[in-house]
Amino acid sequence: MKVTINDVAKRAGVSIKTVSRVINNEPSVRPTTRTRVRMAIQALDYRPNLAARNLAGTHSYSIALIYDNPNAYYVMDLQNGILAACRARGYELLIHPSSAKSPSIHDELHKLVEQSRIAGLILTPPFSEFPEVMDTLETLGVTFVQILSTQAADQLEDNCIQVDDAAAAFSITRHLVELGHRRIGYLYGGIEHFSTLGRLEGYMRALQVAELPVDDEIILEGEYSFDSGVAGATILLESDSPPTALFAGNDEIAAGALFAARMMNIEVPQQLSIAGFEDSPFSRQTCPKLTTVHQPNEEIGRCAAELTLERIHCKGGMEKEKPPGSITRRFTPRLIVRDSTGAAPKQASAIKAQPASHKKTG
């Protein structure tokens, strides 16, 4: 038989209304009573009907994630982190993929907030970087938290989870410089993202600190995709003065660059070093495995959800139940050195591409 709120009230020795107050995190319940009710809920494995809670009261128990990102691994990790935080606080997650280029995005947000009765929103790039989107949400009076690059804000705002892309890109480029590379190419995509600008900034700053020239000829814009990595790497490696190392704006681009090098019979890392960004499954499934930076997307998602729920509770005047530990507001992806980077070749000519038909056998 399905456990009901009546069963919980009977076991805890309280009224149904008191159980409802505990479930809804209302402040007017004594700590000892609250503990007794929660123990009853746990013992009976009672699960409140979220839809009924949303319809019965003025407070919603759902938050939404808005995203436009072709990287499925990024989205899945983010969702897992957000879901963990939501379930711990009795909330549900609404997933809302959308197009950042859609002219009707503001109408979408209006319908989402009004029809779904969400309590708050988590915005990922590029939505989190659009001032007009923030204006719309503020007009609607809905709580929101932004996940964005540190390059998108002058300071750490109280509704932001920031990722220091520039510092991470600096660490990767410095790693390549320390391996003796003096000609380091950069492949990137999505210039409309502040994270792209941050990674480009970190790359250029590392070259400047090492007193190396920033050569526009080996910096190519493309897309955050495998095919773009293949195309960009092919252009650079077939040039008259190819780089001895490639830094890619994400792991998919890096995997594409690795594929291009293999097709040209260029050995990695003996002749060419390749590094990616984000530590996605791509970085561990290639051969050799990719040097990259680990971006803890699941943890970022969890912190974004916890911050959203904290702001919702503060705004609603409800009892503030802080999650265990402090909420991390700023993340710097950490360098992970694997097999795709090594010492620079002693002769630049050593990395000259060869036609695939010249590949040795036996």
Side-chain angles (χ1 to χ4, degrees):
M1 299 245 342
K2 185 177 179 180
V3 178
T4 68
I5 193 170
N6 293 329
D7 299 321
V8 176
K10 184 177 180 180
R11 185 181 181 97
V14 298
S15 67
I16 294 175
K17 189 172 184 179
T18 298
V19 176
S20 179
R21 285 173 176 168
V22 172
I23 292 172
N24 293 332
N25 291 318
E26 294 181 16
S28 56
V29 181
R30 286 182 295 181
T32 54
T33 303
R34 186 183 300 277
T35 300
R36 195 162 69 249
V37 171
R38 284 178 174 167
M39 289 178 65
I41 289 173
Q42 184 175 4
L44 296 173
D45 193 25
Y46 173 64
R47 301 182 182 183
N49 186 315
L50 183 69
R53 288 169 67 195
N54 280 337
L55 290 172
T58 59
H59 181 64
S60 169
Y61 291 88
S62 298
I63 64 174
L65 170 65
I66 312 295
Y67 70 89
D68 177 8
N69 192 310
N71 187 337
Y73 297 113
Y74 169 82
V75 174
M76 286 189 294
D77 285 346
L78 210 61
Q79 287 180 17
N80 288 336
I82 295 172
L83 279 170
C86 286
R87 287 168 179 167
R89 303 283 291 277
Y91 279 72
E92 289 294 331
L93 174 64
L94 175 65
I95 307 298
H96 189 82
S98 186
S99 171
K101 298 179 180 178
S102 171
S104 62
I105 182 59
H106 301 288
D107 292 334
E108 278 188 49
L109 290 174
H110 273 275
K111 290 179 181 178
L112 179 65
V113 172
E114 294 171 359
Q115 296 179 7
S116 301
R117 295 195 68 247
I118 55 173
L121 285 163
I122 296 175
L123 300 165
T124 64
F127 294 114
S128 58
E129 301 165 353
F130 295 162
E132 57 272 24
V133 169
M134 306 306 113
D135 292 341
T136 296
L137 294 177
E138 287 175 357
T139 299
L140 291 171
V142 64
T143 298
F144 64 90
V145 165
Q146 302 159 261
I147 299 175
L148 74 174
S149 175
T150 53
Q151 275 57 46
D154 295 330
Q155 58 187 356
L156 192 60
E157 300 177 29
D158 63 358
N159 70 330
C160 295
I161 300 292
Q162 295 191 18
V163 180
D164 197 340
D165 294 282
F170 180 91
S171 68
I172 285 185
T173 310
R174 181 176 59 186
H175 165 68
L176 295 171
V177 170
E178 290 173 347
L179 288 172
H181 295 280
R182 295 296 177 264
R183 191 162 174 77
I184 303 170
Y186 182 53
L187 302 173
Y188 67 96
I191 195 63
E192 69 275 9
H193 293 276
F194 277 96
S195 57
T196 298
L197 297 176
R199 295 171 196 183
L200 179 59
E201 176 189 318
Y203 159 79
M204 296 175 66
R205 182 159 54 87
L207 293 181
Q208 292 166 354
V209 169
E211 298 183 346
L212 295 174
V214 176
D215 187 348
D216 291 338
E217 291 186 0
I218 55 174
I219 301 175
L220 292 185
E221 178 183 356
E223 299 177 352
Y224 282 118
S225 68
F226 179 91
D227 290 342
S228 184
V230 174
T234 300
I235 292 172
L236 294 186
L237 296 175
E238 288 183 343
S239 65
D240 292 335
S241 182
T244 62
L246 291 176
F247 169 33
N250 74 350
D251 292 329
E252 289 189 58
I253 296 176
L258 183 61
F259 179 82
R262 182 174 291 122
M263 292 300 97
M264 297 179 182
N265 299 318
I266 297 174
E267 295 183 354
V268 177
Q270 293 86 350
Q271 295 174 285
L272 174 71
S273 287
I274 298 176
F277 199 107
E278 286 182 0
D279 193 28
S280 72
F282 271 103
S283 67
R284 300 181 292 278
Q285 294 167 355
T286 59
C287 183
K289 295 179 180 179
L290 289 170
T291 290
T292 185
V293 290
H294 176 66
Q295 183 167 300
N297 292 321
E298 189 165 330
E299 177 68 6
I300 289 170
R302 184 185 65 81
C303 288
E306 288 179 348
L307 181 57
T308 303
L309 296 175
E310 182 179 275
R311 290 172 59 81
I312 289 169
H313 280 235
C314 289
K315 181 179 179 181
M318 294 179 288
E319 181 185 25
K320 186 177 177 182
E321 293 186 2
K322 288 187 177 181
S326 61
I327 299 175
T328 302
R329 303 290 186 89
R330 187 166 186 158
F331 291 84
T332 300
R334 59 182 175 84
L335 177 66
I336 297 180
V337 178
R338 296 197 179 107
D339 302 329
S340 67
T341 53
K346 294 182 179 179
Q347 297 180 350
S349 59
I351 65 165
K352 192 65 178 178
Q354 299 179 27
S357 59
H358 291 174
K359 187 174 183 179
K360 296 181 180 179
T361 59

